[in-house]
Structure formats: C-alpha cells, structure tokens
Amino acid sequence: MSKILLINPNKWGRGITSIWIASHSALLKQHGHDVDLFDATFYSQWTVDEVSYNTNNEQYQSTDYHSYVTFKDTSVLDDLQKKIDDFNPDVIFWSAISSHIHGEGEYVNIQYGYELLNEIKTSAWLVTGGLQATASPHEIMKNFPKIKCVVQGYSEGSLLEIASLVGNSSRLSDLPGVAVRDGSDVMVGSQKQLAPDLSYLPLYDYSIFDDQVFWRPYNGEVVRAIDYEASRGCIYSCEYCVETIIQKYYGFDEITKGGAIKGAANYVRAKSPETIFSELKSVAEKYKVQLIRCQDTNFLTMGKKTLNGLASLIESSDLDIKLYIETRPEGINPKSVELL
C-alpha cells in the first residue's frame, strides 16, 4: 500500500471542504492506502483573506468569522516540508476536477500547488489534475517540469491506479487518461472512459479536514457547512463555461439547437435518492453542519425521479439542514419552485 499526501493550495483564507479532497481520500482509504492532507488555507503569509476583503467592500455581510478560525504565522513552506518529512509520502497530489469546478480555485490550483512544492525536497511522485491538465497536458508538463504525470478528466480512479504502481513507473503510460513525462516528450494515455455512475465512490471522507474548515460566513452568520455533490455534469454546453472542457474530453461535443449536449443522459450521473439522503443525514449529524452547499453544476437536471424521491425523503424526515443549490434561470417555474 502507498502513502498519498493531498495538498490544498487554497488562498481564499476561509475554509472549504473541497469535494475532490473528500472523494479521493475516501476511495484511497477504502483500498487500504494511507492518506494525509496539507491544507495551506490558514497561513497568514499565503492567504489573501477573502472574507475581510469582501466584508470591507460590502460584498459580504459583517460576521465574527475570524473568531472561529486560527491563522498561522509560521512559514507555509517550512510546515509543508516538515509534513512531508514526517509522513514520507510516495505520491503528492493536488488539483482535480469535481462537481464544483467553478468554486474551488480550479483555475489556479495547479500553479498554486506547484509554487508550494517547487522548492520542497521529496522523492515522492508529484501528480496533479484539473481543467488545464485535461485540456492541455503537454502545456502543464512543459510549464511545471517537476511534475511526474498529470490526470485528465475525473481523477479518483486514476489516482487509485497510480498509487498501486508506486515503484513501477514504467507502467504509468499504460493508464487511460494519464499523461507521463518521457524525457523531453510527454506520453498521453488513451482517453479515459466516463464512469456510468457514482456508485464506485464511497461516502466522502470529510474527517480528513481540520475542524475549523467547517466554519463558514453565510448571510451575516457563521455556520457549520460542508460541500456536497449529488450529481456530476451539466447537460448544457455554454461557450463561456469550463464544463465544455470536460464534455469534449469525454466525447460529448455534439450540441442540440437548444444548447444541450447530445447524449446528455449518459453524461450527467446522479446518485440514487436513498444514497443522497443517507449521505446528507450522515454528514449533517456527524459534523453538526447547518448548511450543505450542493455543488452540482445544475441541481435541477438530475432527473425528476431522483429529485422527487429526494424531496419525499427529506420532507418525511426530521433532518434540520439548509441546502444551497445552483441551477439555470429557465429551470425555475412553479413546479420546480414547489419541488425546491
């Protein structure tokens, strides 16, 4: 079994339970691997302190958020080196695509993670993923020369396979969706197949986060919150949206007159109502959360059967939570409002 260190290079200065961290950790641990997390969020010399910035410009309501969290004045690089020395990982992984691709620093995670690791001494394989890695693995390998390989598309399964190959790097090039450095060249593996559903992923591992990560400013309050996904993928192909990178990678590049991808039913994957409810109830009780931010790219396109089933389960329960969802405006009508 391998040791995998996940890096969260978040510069927001506020906690976020990034779905990719929770999902990758859960799957790796399920298969016996040892997983740890280094979270750069609460380092004063690293963060941009988004909460203070947006409170001062009146974009956020004022809260006492900073009394709930502790920022470190120590060097983020020194602490990362100590973590690596103590944990001695075989693989260091950062940046990935999850359902909240718009809200998890995805655009800069590869760069920020590399900034943290560039001067670090380690023999571990440096592995990353994300939107840029999916769109242009050659450019990522060119710009960040210490990276061992990059993962295209959703990366939970790929990272699990990479972890099983520690000590046998010659087989990395055989993995679908994995681009590997070969001298001055980059070998891009065959296109990865889209998983038909999310059932291969266990309940996400939120225990890997420090407790202060669960506190979040929201509408003038500080609440305990987590990020969650009931589904992945969006049926629409808007030219301005980064979702199109993922759609095209998996071969969904034909568009209907209405702006949706052809074969959308095979692209959007949703958990069953029973699984969603069970997971919501479990994390709400275990981590005492009040707000669950559903990071599904378009919550209302999961399908009527899933949504109605989930609504019935929540309505008949004593589950006391708030759900935050995102959808498109044309999906809002009397029926969907009643459902929500």
Side-chain angles (χ1 to χ4, degrees), residues 34-220:
D34 193 0
V35 186
D36 205 346
L37 170 67
F38 182 84
D39 192 343
T41 300
F42 296 105
Y43 282 85
S44 299
Q45 297 173 15
W46 178 256
T47 180
V48 295
D49 193 359
E50 178 198 63
V51 173
S52 295
Y53 179 83
N54 284 325
T55 301
N56 291 336
N57 67 23
E58 299 184 347
Q59 184 176 339
Y60 288 0
Q61 293 185 46
S62 180
T63 68
D64 59 344
Y65 173 71
H66 286 82
S67 68
Y68 288 81
V69 297
T70 302
F71 285 81
K72 301 176 183 178
D73 292 325
T74 55
S75 165
V76 64
L77 296 182
D78 288 348
D79 284 1
L80 175 56
Q81 184 68 70
K82 185 176 187 306
K83 166 72 80 171
I84 290 173
D85 291 344
D86 292 344
F87 185 55
N88 192 26
D90 300 297
V91 178
I92 299 176
F93 181 78
W94 73 101
S95 183
I97 297 172
S98 73
S99 59
H100 55 143
I101 52 178
H102 310 286
E104 141 169 21
E106 181 56 49
Y107 309 100
V108 290
N109 263 351
I110 291 181
Q111 177 186 332
Y112 286 168
Y114 196 82
E115 286 179 13
L116 288 172
L117 290 163
N118 191 35
E119 301 299 326
I120 293 294
K121 296 178 180 178
T122 179
S123 60
W125 290 353
L126 303 188
V127 183
T128 191
L131 290 164
Q132 296 91 335
T134 300
S136 186
H138 290 86
E139 287 298 311
I140 294 300
M141 300 289 266
K142 173 184 175 183
N143 292 328
F144 306 108
K146 292 185 179 180
I147 292 175
K148 178 75 172 180
C149 60
V150 300
V151 180
Q152 296 179 276
Y154 297 107
S155 49
E156 287 95 348
S158 298
L159 184 59
L160 180 62
E161 291 181 296
I162 290 170
S164 70
L165 294 181
V166 167
N168 190 5
S169 61
S170 63
R171 292 182 57 199
L172 287 174
S173 58
D174 297 332
L175 299 180
V178 175
V180 183
R181 192 181 304 281
D182 182 23
S184 59
D185 297 326
V186 175
M187 299 173 60
V188 179
S190 59
Q191 183 172 307
K192 185 163 43 179
Q193 296 298 306
L194 185 64
D197 56 47
L198 298 178
S199 61
Y200 71 100
L201 294 175
L203 174 63
Y204 297 166
D205 177 25
Y206 295 95
S207 69
I208 197 168
F209 298 105
D210 185 76
D211 188 73
Q212 67 178 354
V213 172
F214 294 99
W215 293 109
R216 191 171 306 188
Y218 183 72
N219 283 351

